[in-house]
Amino acid sequence: MMFKHSSFTLFSLVFISIPCLISAQACQNSCGKMPIRYPFGTGLGCGDPRFQKHVTCNQDKLTFTTHTGCYPVNNIDYTNQVIYISDPSMSTCACTQPSKGFGLDWDAPFSFHDDTVFTLLDCSTTSSPIYKTNSNSYNNGTVVPQCDRTGAPICSFLYSCQAISMLNLPISTCCVYTPVDLGPSFEMDLQKLQCSSYSGFYSFDGQEANPENWKYGIALKYKFNVYNDYPGSCADCERSNGVCGYGGAYNTFICNCPNGLNTTSDCFFGSSYNHGSSLLQWQTGNWVIYSSALFLVWALLCSV
């Protein structure tokens, strides 16, 4: 009886001595109800390292971060590579409020989608740099806004909204500010522009004359790399129910699998797995042989 107890203890020690390979999956394929795919991730070591600091998941909420603030992510169109965010300080047809503006970090792997339209509201026609005095001899002294002239109807529709019309602002204080005009720094500093607030939208939703139903927010494009190629290793990883990530000193690719293992290719057996800081070469045949050997040791010890 004592020997069997010792045998059980010995068998337990054999298993305890084996490195713990199974753990919870570090990278998730969703953040709350939002599906997460490459190049985005749910935490450090997940997705693409270039995107990790800009798009983060915290308490099941996906957030886009720049030097101007943190913004909720409303949706991600993975097919067309567009991320849609909202700015709580942005004015809409339902509410107008002061804002500091919006800007992208200079090193962010994002650019404004062509459908994104910014409208500056309540701008000073005397001190704002977007208004310049016409030096033409025929119209000397006339103030000319440096705005998108085709955006005049947009200003008319927005200023007809009840929340904005109650401010009794002249239509001349509105300026449609397209993304290309933000300049190389992608900056919209409302204090410098002498405007009190702004509105942004990316779709009329088929109702150009009804600003209440416009899609308010900001649409941003992103690219996987210079050639915009989806990494083949990441595609293989996701097909095997893994989540693409990175690790090591050089941020090399890893595939984080549902069983908690990190692999250099995919989550199907027969690949090399990386767990923690050590690289363990596990192949299907080797694992079966090793497991069988442990079972035989256990059976022999228990039979004594």
Side-chain angles (χ1 to χ4, degrees):
M1 187 70 178
M2 291 294 293
F3 188 78
K4 286 188 176 183
H5 176 74
S6 300
S7 301
F8 180 78
T9 303
L10 177 61
F11 177 67
S12 300
L13 289 174
V14 171
F15 274 95
I16 291 173
S17 66
I18 300 173
C20 181
L21 297 177
I22 307 301
S23 61
Q25 187 173 17
C27 300
Q28 304 298 316
N29 56 14
S30 65
C31 179
K33 296 182 179 180
M34 183 82 65
I36 301 298
R37 292 172 50 192
Y38 183 88
F40 306 111
T42 56
L44 187 64
C46 306
D48 187 311
R50 296 182 305 132
F51 292 81
Q52 197 277 325
K53 69 176 182 178
H54 302 288
V55 179
T56 55
C57 179
N58 187 25
Q59 296 182 346
D60 290 336
K61 295 181 179 180
L62 202 62
T63 303
F64 181 85
T65 303
T66 76
H67 64 282
T68 56
C70 299
Y71 309 92
V73 176
N74 299 329
N75 189 30
I76 300 177
D77 183 347
Y78 290 102
T79 301
N80 297 305
Q81 298 173 221
V82 182
I83 181 172
Y84 298 92
I85 66 174
S86 58
D87 181 358
S89 70
M90 177 189 295
S91 294
T92 65
C93 193
C95 176
T96 181
Q97 54 190 333
S99 173
K100 295 180 180 179
F102 178 84
L104 288 175
D105 295 344
W106 68 270
D107 60 342
F110 297 92
S111 60
F112 290 102
H113 192 279
D114 292 339
D115 292 340
T116 298
V117 176
F118 290 122
T119 304
L120 306 185
L121 307 176
D122 190 18
C123 301
S124 172
T125 57
T126 58
S127 59
S128 174
I130 63 176
Y131 294 93
K132 296 183 178 180
T133 303
N134 194 336
S135 58
N136 188 295
S137 58
Y138 298 101
N139 299 298
N140 191 26
T142 303
V143 176
V144 180
Q146 306 299 305
C147 307
D148 187 348
R149 295 182 179 180
T150 60
I154 294 177
C155 285
S156 298
F157 291 136
L158 272 177
Y159 273 41
S160 67
C161 295
Q162 182 177 2
I164 300 178
S165 63
M166 291 177 63
L167 301 177
N168 295 319
L169 299 172
I171 195 69
S172 59
T173 61
C174 173
C175 177
V176 174
Y177 203 54
T178 53
V180 68
D181 292 332
L182 290 179
S185 62
F186 303 116
E187 187 74 23
M188 179 172 54
D189 189 331
L190 294 185
Q191 184 175 2
K192 291 182 179 179
L193 294 173
Q194 293 293 297
C195 302
S196 64
S197 61
Y198 83 102
S199 179
F201 63 94
Y202 50 83
S203 173
F204 292 110
D205 200 24
Q207 302 183 58
E208 287 79 359
N210 188 1
E212 292 184 358
N213 293 332
W214 293 355
K215 296 292 185 180
Y216 291 94
I218 303 170
L220 301 172
K221 297 185 295 183
Y222 63 88
K223 296 177 64 175
F224 302 122
N225 46 50
V226 175
Y227 301 102
N228 202 24
D229 295 327
Y230 200 90
S233 56
C234 182
D236 293 338
C237 172
E238 292 180 337
R239 276 194 292 267
S240 64
N241 295 322
V243 180
C244 303
Y246 60 93
Y250 300 100
N251 288 335
T252 54
F253 167 80
I254 61 171
C255 180
N256 188 234
C257 300
N259 57 11
L261 296 174
N262 290 338
T263 171
T264 56
S265 56
D266 54 45
C267 295
F268 296 121
F269 291 110
S271 306
S272 58
Y273 291 88
N274 183 351
H275 185 81
S277 59
S278 61
L279 184 65
L280 304 176
Q281 299 295 332
W282 285 103
Q283 295 182 348
T284 305
N286 291 343
W287 175 252
V288 171
I289 293 173
Y290 193 69
S291 300
S292 300
L294 287 176
F295 178 81
L296 288 174
V297 171
W298 175 79
L300 287 173
L301 292 174
C302 289
S303 64
V304 177

